[in-house]
Amino acid sequence: MKKELREKRKKLAGQIRALADKQESWTDEERQNWKSVNADYDATCEELRKLDAAEEVKTRAAAVDEEMKRSAGDSRIGRNNPGESEQRRERPSEETRAIALQGWMRSQLSLPLRSEHRNALRSVGVNSHARDFRIRMMRSNEYRNFREKRGMTVGTSTAGGSTVPAGFVNNFEAALLEFGGPRVVADVMRTDTGNPMSWPTANDTGNKGVLLTEETTIGSTVNPTTGSKSFGAYKISSTPILISAELLEDSAFNLADWIGQALGERIGRCECDYYTTGTGAAQPQGCVTAATSGVTTASGTAITADEILTLIHSVDPAYRTNASFMMNDSTLLAVRKLKDNNGQYLWQAGLQAGVPDRLFTYPLTVNQSMAAIALSAKAILFGAFPKFKIRDVSSLRLRRLQERYADTDQEGFVAFHRTDSGLLDAGTHPLKFLQMKAS
């Protein structure tokens, strides 16, 4: 399946290049074909992305289960009876944890619990009447493997991690990535608590060594310019999710997957906006807000190949090794038609699975929270995105909203997630933006 999709994407990429080559003489039919081919290409890329995501979830779930087995050691989840002093119970299975979560949700709605719910709740040690349900998100190393991204800070586990089906966390994390362009390329840190965290910075680029002659003093001390970046923990709400009694009564319903996906999509959309354009004042700092000017276009409605080259070279070469582009999808559509001075297309399709599209050999990430091409818009970002840090507090809190929706035989559940973001810039500006002309 994936092989056929990759071949189809390669064929569509060739058609796009061929059409773009003669755009000045397009007929109405060719113009319509351009839209159709681009739509097919995007749809094919989306199918490949979903297949890759499904494989990642399966791999991650297996790795999480293996980690749970390794970390279990001699700890005991519970005992069947007081006389069972030395016999350790088996680690609950994924299915048992899923049934326990469903049992907790049913209990919150005052629905009767079946025997499998009660047994599962006892097995994982969950109090079905507790109003808050704390869920440990992935550790940093788990999240790194999940999205195949390096460089994250190790966090520690919190209460509740062993009581939640791994599918819940995996679906939540996958949804965050789907709606979070910055989260895909940023450096994500996971911490156990939300205490303010200071990250020191130093800029020594203005200093260099000197050549000494014999018996010459080393001279006075020259210190680098130092500073720090503080990361907090701002609370993001999913807004209430309504669960009906009928939904929970359906024993075949995969509650963990549905809730995880819904929460991830809601929180992911909100966080992506802040990670992109947040002011940094009483809210996360966005990557667009933190970036500095690289180039301003000559037109307020179009971008040229030379302007993109200027943007690239506005970033210091030290940062260009791991640099990448970020832009809105509509901006990408315009860039797909561009050629450099040698007649070569700037846009290069990622023809291999998991490989992003590229501009001038640099990877490209689509972020729908960025502005499209318009007067004064900051339309393209380029630079070292690992310098953009996202701080997550590892525990996701799921809470019941009692009595609020009783008149419709429903109850609400809302999730809270704490996070912050910001750019580590010691004065050498690792992230630059291309801004459209004001008028």
Side-chain angles (χ1 to χ4, degrees), residues 4 6 58 147 171 270 325:
E4 289 80 0
R6 287 196 293 269
K58 291 179 181 178
R147 68 172 194 168
N171 276 280
C270 177
F325 285 99

Side-chain angles (χ1 to χ4, degrees), residues 143-165:
Y143 187 69
R144 179 183 63 246
N145 294 332
F146 181 71
R147 68 172 194 168
E148 296 182 353
K149 178 73 174 68
R150 69 171 182 81
M152 303 177 191
T153 303
V154 175
T156 57
S157 63
T158 56
S162 63
T163 64
V164 181

Side-chain angles (χ1 to χ4, degrees), residues 227-305:
S228 65
K229 176 70 177 178
S230 180
F231 291 90
Y234 298 105
K235 185 185 294 185
I236 305 293
S237 167
S238 66
T239 67
I241 292 178
L242 298 184
I243 306 293
S244 67
E246 292 81 3
L247 194 62
L248 283 173
E249 287 171 351
D250 181 4
S251 60
F253 178 66
N254 194 335
L255 184 66
D257 286 352
W258 184 83
I259 291 289
Q261 186 73 21
L263 292 178
E265 289 179 1
R266 292 185 178 192
I267 291 178
R269 290 188 187 100
C270 177
E271 288 182 346
C272 187
D273 287 342
Y274 284 113
Y275 295 156
T276 304
T277 57
T279 65
Q283 60 183 250
Q285 181 189 47
C287 53
V288 173
T289 307
T292 54
S293 178
V295 62
T296 300
T297 61
S299 167
T301 57
I303 299 171
T304 68

Side-chain angles (χ1 to χ4, degrees), residues 5 9 40-52 178:
L5 287 174
R9 181 172 63 175
D40 288 346
Y41 177 85
D42 291 337
T44 303
C45 290
E46 178 64 14
E47 288 185 59
L48 280 168
R49 187 199 64 75
K50 288 181 178 179
L51 287 174
D52 290 339
E178 183 175 356

Side-chain angles (χ1 to χ4, degrees), residues 79-87:
R79 296 170 180 169
N80 289 327
N81 55 65
E84 195 179 21
S85 58
E86 298 298 329
Q87 183 178 358

Side-chain angles (χ1 to χ4, degrees), residues 1 17 26 70 78 102 129 144 176 182 203 212 226 239 247 267 291 304 306 334 344 358 361 394 397 409 431 435:
M1 180 64 176
R17 292 193 184 99
W26 275 352
R70 287 197 301 267
Q102 188 177 61
H129 301 293
R144 179 183 63 246
L176 284 181
N203 181 6
L212 297 177
T226 60
T239 67
L247 194 62
I267 291 178
T304 68
D306 287 349
Q344 299 297 317
R358 291 176 177 266
T361 74
S394 62
R397 187 159 59 92
D409 195 24
L431 205 57
Q435 186 167 17

Side-chain angles (χ1 to χ4, degrees), residues 121-336:
L121 287 165
R122 281 196 298 269
S123 177
V124 300
V126 170
N127 180 358
S128 64
H129 301 293
R131 296 292 172 83
D132 286 352
F133 204 97
R134 292 187 178 273
I135 301 161
R136 183 189 71 80
M137 296 172 64
M138 292 182 187
R139 295 183 180 91
S140 290
N141 62 323
E142 294 170 343
Y143 187 69
R144 179 183 63 246
N145 294 332
F146 181 71
R147 68 172 194 168
E148 296 182 353
K149 178 73 174 68
R150 69 171 182 81
M152 303 177 191
T153 303
V154 175
T156 57
S157 63
T158 56
S162 63
T163 64
V164 181
F168 181 101
V169 179
N170 287 337
N171 276 280
F172 179 79
E173 302 277 10
L176 284 181
L177 284 176
E178 183 175 356
F179 289 95
R183 186 176 283 272
V184 174
V185 291
D187 182 23
V188 179
M189 308 172 290
R190 288 279 159 82
T191 58
D192 187 45
T193 65
N195 297 333
M197 182 178 67
S198 181
W199 193 304
T201 62
N203 181 6
D204 198 42
T205 57
N207 303 319
K208 56 178 141 181
V210 296
L211 178 65
L212 297 177
T213 59
E214 187 176 351
E215 298 181 355
T216 302
T217 178
I218 60 175
S220 58
T221 300
V222 181
N223 293 321
T225 302
T226 60
S228 65
K229 176 70 177 178
S230 180
F231 291 90
Y234 298 105
K235 185 185 294 185
I236 305 293
S237 167
S238 66
T239 67
I241 292 178
L242 298 184
I243 306 293
S244 67
E246 292 81 3
L247 194 62
L248 283 173
E249 287 171 351
D250 181 4
S251 60
F253 178 66
N254 194 335
L255 184 66
D257 286 352
W258 184 83
I259 291 289
Q261 186 73 21
L263 292 178
E265 289 179 1
R266 292 185 178 192
I267 291 178
R269 290 188 187 100
C270 177
E271 288 182 346
C272 187
D273 287 342
Y274 284 113
Y275 295 156
T276 304
T277 57
T279 65
Q283 60 183 250
Q285 181 189 47
C287 53
V288 173
T289 307
T292 54
S293 178
V295 62
T296 300
T297 61
S299 167
T301 57
I303 299 171
T304 68
D306 287 349
E307 288 164 344
I308 295 178
L309 278 171
T310 302
L311 175 63
I312 292 174
H313 287 271
S314 70
V315 175
D316 189 278
Y319 292 124
R320 296 208 296 263
T321 302
N322 296 315
S324 61
F325 285 99
M326 182 178 289
M327 65 188 71
N328 186 287
D329 187 61
S330 64
T331 305
L332 174 59
L333 179 61
V335 169
R336 277 183 176 180

